[in-house]
Amino acid sequence: MENIPNWIILLFVATTLLTIFLFWLAAKKNKGVLYVLVIWLLIQAGIGLSGFYQNFDAVPPRFIFLLAPGFVIAALLFLTKGGKTFIQSLDLKWLTLLHTVRVPVELVLFYIFLGDLIPEDMTFEGKNFDIISGLTAPLIYMVAFRGGGVKRKLLLFWNAISLGLLINILTIAVLSAKTPFQQIAFDQPNIGVMYFPLVWLPSVIVPLVLISQLASISKLLAKGK
């Protein structure tokens, strides 16, 4: 992490907090949601600072413990009755604006790459086009919610494309992670997200972006019915 500028670290921390704040707004300022997210943030900070994730030879790979909890929580939200109720209660406008955080995330990833901590494929100069979602989010917001209505088909199309872009970078990140199952980027594996505070990217930001994306699609499909 010595090669990463301090302002990039500060930008990433600010982006993480902004992601939590926007999701809290989408959850209509539900205090329980905020408490859970802050506690999870602190837990991951502690684990990250302990160096737990930096044991690259461990089996099972420690990288799994960064990603898996978020996906498990997402699954529970969409498969349980209480979770479904929560998903449908989320504010579609804030869920859309939340994706603006994908712009600073991509900037941070680029500088992490320059610091030799992730492969180029994980940046917008490689095969990661996720920045498109962040750049278009404000425009989509202005057009889709103009006039007090909701342009459902436009939002569905944009969310579907954005979900595809998210899955793309997730796939690259997983396959390039320095684990016994690494498949690509052997010259420069994905190790940056194993260090604090970057552990918040796969453990906090990615799950919230994924949940926001899936929640938006779920709500829009429900409106169609």
Side-chain angles (χ1 to χ4, degrees):
M1 295 292 290
E2 295 82 5
N3 298 329
I4 308 301
N6 289 333
W7 71 271
I8 283 293
I9 298 300
L10 293 175
L11 175 62
F12 177 74
V13 172
T15 301
T16 303
L17 296 177
L18 177 60
T19 306
I20 289 176
F21 178 70
L22 291 174
F23 192 81
W24 177 61
L25 292 179
K28 301 174 182 177
K29 300 183 179 180
N30 185 310
K31 291 183 179 180
V33 170
L34 183 61
Y35 293 154
V36 169
L37 290 176
V38 170
I39 291 172
W40 181 243
L41 187 79
L42 295 175
I43 289 174
Q44 286 299 325
I47 298 174
L49 287 168
S50 74
F52 174 81
Y53 294 121
Q54 296 163 35
N55 184 347
F56 302 114
D57 298 319
V59 178
R62 300 286 171 84
F63 187 65
I64 292 177
F65 300 105
L66 272 173
L67 277 179
F71 283 93
V72 170
I73 291 172
L76 291 174
L77 287 176
F78 287 93
L79 295 176
T80 63
K81 184 178 180 180
K84 291 177 182 177
T85 300
F86 172 73
I87 290 298
Q88 292 305 316
S89 73
L90 294 173
D91 188 307
L92 190 57
K93 291 182 179 180
W94 286 114
L95 289 177
T96 303
L97 286 174
L98 183 143
H99 296 286
T100 56
V101 303
R102 292 159 86 159
V103 174
V105 164
E106 293 308 311
L107 181 60
V108 169
L109 285 177
F110 178 71
Y111 274 87
I112 298 173
F113 157 66
L114 294 181
D116 297 323
L117 293 173
I118 63 171
E120 185 178 24
D121 282 352
M122 286 183 62
T123 74
F124 48 72
E125 285 200 344
K127 299 177 181 178
N128 179 6
F129 309 107
D130 200 56
I131 194 171
I132 295 172
S133 300
L135 291 172
T136 56
L139 178 62
I140 292 296
Y141 172 83
M142 290 187 290
V143 174
F145 297 103
R146 186 172 53 189
V150 178
K151 290 183 173 57
R152 177 177 161 273
K153 290 184 179 180
L154 173 63
L155 273 176
L156 264 177
F157 175 76
W158 179 78
N159 273 286
I161 296 297
S162 296
L163 179 60
L165 294 177
L166 180 61
I167 292 173
N168 172 64
I169 179 55
L170 276 174
T171 301
I172 295 172
V174 171
L175 294 181
S176 63
K178 191 174 181 180
T179 70
F181 311 108
Q182 183 180 356
Q183 298 295 314
I184 59 176
F186 291 97
D187 55 331
Q188 178 49 67
N190 169 21
I191 60 173
V193 297
M194 315 294 194
Y195 294 86
F196 177 81
L198 299 176
V199 293
W200 286 338
L201 179 56
S203 66
V204 178
I205 295 179
V206 169
L208 290 180
V209 169
L210 177 62
I211 290 170
S212 297
Q213 202 93 76
L214 294 175
S216 296
I217 293 173
S218 176
K219 287 174 67 68
L220 289 166
L221 290 175
K223 283 181 180 291
K225 293 180 181 179

